[in-house]
Amino acid sequence: MRRTLTAVLVAVPIMALPAPAAQAAPGGCAALTRLPAVESAVAGADYCDVRGTLPPHERYEIRLPLRNWTGQYVQQGCSGLCGAVPELTLPLFGFRCAPAVDKRVVLAASDSGHTGTDPGDGNWGADDPAARVDFGLTSEHKLKVVVDVVTRAFYGRGPTYRYFDGCSTGGRQGLNLAERFPADFDGILAGAPAHNLAPLALSNAWLAQKNKGDILPPAKLPVLHAAVQRACGELIEDPRTCGFQPSSIQCAGVDRPDCLTRAQVAVAVAAYRGPSDARGRNLYNGGFAYGSELSWNGWFVGPDPFAARIGLAYFTNLAYPRNPPADFTLDDVTFTEATFDRLQILGDAIYNATSPDLSAFRAHGGKLIVFHGWADAQISPFSTLDWYAAVERHAGGFAASQRFSRLYLIPGGYHCLFGPEVDRPSEIGVPEFLTPLMAWVERGETPDAIDVPTITATDPPELVRYLTVDPSDALSPPPAAPGSLNANYHYIGD
């Protein structure tokens, strides 16, 4: 089983924030508290653990190896609407990265400038423009600046190589760094990026409206998924080549457990197509790909779906300079070009990371790896695919883009390659991405094919084979299957 794709890289305007003055810390770990914005520094068995707050509200943690630092620094992104400092045990997708496993890499992360009760909490942005700017634009750059100061004070030198590693919102943060702060990092790993955040909010509202009242319940998702597999294969290499129609399993008469009602078919069609206006123009880069059905549960299917919670949080607290009335609900969202344009005002200014121009990052010598699971039901892989097509064009074609970046689309991969449910493992394992990124940056070893473990859904899961995913010029859409709901995914912003 093979699937190929590409990636890209190029340049952009740099925004600089003033770095705090470096101060010596001759007393070791504890002496780092003399530095600006450092509130505690405690030596443990392996790390000097540094914590503090960057103005106005950004809490952070830095882990400094006490022995044998490689000179490598990995900064970890957050998820959802952030609000808590991510755990720093190991970098995401660096589970087999030897220096990270051996605790010889500096690690750092922040809460992105605010405290939230959970990843779907947006109340912090209701009346705090500075918190919005930190979350959308500046928090990761500010943290990098402080890490440079702290490492120089502790080791007598700054990092030799700087890496950013994030997925979902962390993926968006990585692309924002490549576009707006291109000299900050030497290597960026961006998974399932929520880079098109304002239109993504429209997608969440679309799903909430279409499945209001849980028209399509969790019990019907395995039925739908099995039908898709019968039509398109157990592991779908490219959903655009699948021509499955939900109407093919519509109940003939009364509702039954093994079929979908007419109303349930309509929900599935809306999920595959994505939000559109009355004239059929896409307002986001398509919907969910065939094969993603099991991970719809909890996202927009089932009680208290997360897409509705995070969508409402965005619309009521983050989307506009002036918040909607207190009684605003997602039922008030209209799917029009005017809504799209209004969302893009703050979207393009603060939250989105959609520029195809990465030439400054390319000139800096940066390397970028982007990945996305084809079965992702939280952020459409078509959004990433659209963006990379634009980046490739801007870079001067496939060969030029491959000198600086890679894009991997993973068949069967759910959001950030985890899931879809706690009690049901993904059909694939999680590949190692950080090690090849480091080898590319530090030794010029270009990443090519990666092996993705393919597992069974047994308990415990059993490794049965490897799926090889190979970057290549596959951005041009393959011949679409007749009637494919995944074939036309370009959105109104093109």
Side-chain angles (χ1 to χ4, degrees), residues 454-478:
T454 308
I455 61 178
T456 65
T458 58
D459 186 17
E462 177 187 356
L463 178 67
V464 292
R465 61 179 175 174
Y466 276 89
L467 168 71
T468 300
V469 181
D470 192 8
S472 73
D473 191 11
L475 285 172
S476 298

Side-chain angles (χ1 to χ4, degrees), residues 2-279:
R2 293 177 73 84
R3 173 71 199 137
T4 8
L5 231 280
T6 56
V8 215
L9 198 46
V10 233
V12 31
I14 181 167
M15 297 175 59
L17 294 179
Q23 298 182 31
C29 182
L32 292 175
T33 56
R34 301 173 189 171
L35 295 173
V38 173
E39 296 166 355
S40 69
V42 179
D46 301 299
Y47 296 104
C48 171
D49 188 274
V50 180
R51 303 185 186 219
T53 303
L54 304 176
H57 310 299
E58 183 178 354
R59 296 175 301 141
Y60 70 86
E61 179 181 359
I62 305 169
R63 290 191 174 181
L64 305 167
L66 296 177
R67 294 170 292 277
N68 304 316
W69 180 41
T70 61
Q72 296 162 317
Y73 163 52
V74 179
Q75 184 167 315
Q76 180 70 55
C78 64
S79 60
L81 295 179
C82 308
V85 179
E87 184 179 340
L88 290 178
T89 303
L90 274 175
L92 280 176
F93 312 104
F95 307 118
R96 292 183 293 278
C97 178
V101 172
D102 294 340
K103 300 179 175 63
R104 295 182 291 123
V105 173
V106 170
L107 302 172
S110 83
D111 63 5
S112 296
H114 63 272
T115 299
T117 56
D118 63 54
D121 172 25
N123 291 334
W124 49 268
D127 55 4
D128 192 342
R132 294 186 185 190
V133 172
D134 262 358
F135 166 73
L137 202 61
T138 58
S139 64
E140 302 313 298
H141 171 69
K142 289 162 60 178
L143 177 59
K144 175 266 176 190
V145 170
V146 169
V147 170
D148 281 352
V149 172
V150 171
T151 52
R152 283 197 299 270
F154 192 64
Y155 299 110
R157 64 185 177 98
T160 307
Y161 299 104
R162 297 170 179 85
Y163 299 95
F164 185 87
D165 178 3
C167 190
S168 194
T169 294
R172 177 187 65 82
Q173 290 170 328
L175 298 187
N176 174 62
L177 288 163
E179 294 173 19
R180 294 184 168 102
F181 303 96
D184 277 6
F185 290 89
D186 304 295
I188 292 175
L189 178 58
H195 69 109
N196 210 2
L197 195 58
L200 179 59
L202 271 179
S203 177
N204 293 336
W206 172 267
L207 295 169
Q209 287 192 21
K210 294 299 181 181
N211 202 37
K212 186 177 181 181
D214 216 22
I215 298 168
L216 178 63
K220 291 295 185 78
L221 297 181
V223 176
L224 179 60
H225 183 64
V228 170
Q229 287 186 315
R230 287 193 300 270
C232 307
E234 182 179 352
L235 197 61
I236 302 171
E237 293 191 46
D238 191 324
R240 293 169 295 180
T241 64
C242 174
F244 173 75
Q245 291 290 329
S247 58
S248 65
I249 57 168
Q250 184 170 314
C251 301
V254 297
D255 187 9
R256 300 192 315 273
D258 61 345
C259 60
L260 302 186
T261 65
R262 181 185 298 273
Q264 291 165 353
V265 166
V267 172
V269 170
Y272 289 130
R273 283 181 173 165
S276 59
D277 65 12
R279 289 183 283 181

Side-chain angles (χ1 to χ4, degrees), residues 280-292:
R281 294 178 301 178
N282 290 353
L283 300 173
Y284 182 61
N285 315 66
F288 301 142
Y290 293 123
S292 66

Side-chain angles (χ1 to χ4, degrees), residues 350-374:
I350 299 176
Y351 306 119
N352 296 341
T354 54
S355 172
D357 180 2
L358 301 180
S359 51
F361 183 64
R362 170 181 176 175
H364 169 65
K367 300 295 186 287
L368 174 68
I369 292 179
V370 178
F371 63 90
H372 209 134
W374 266 125

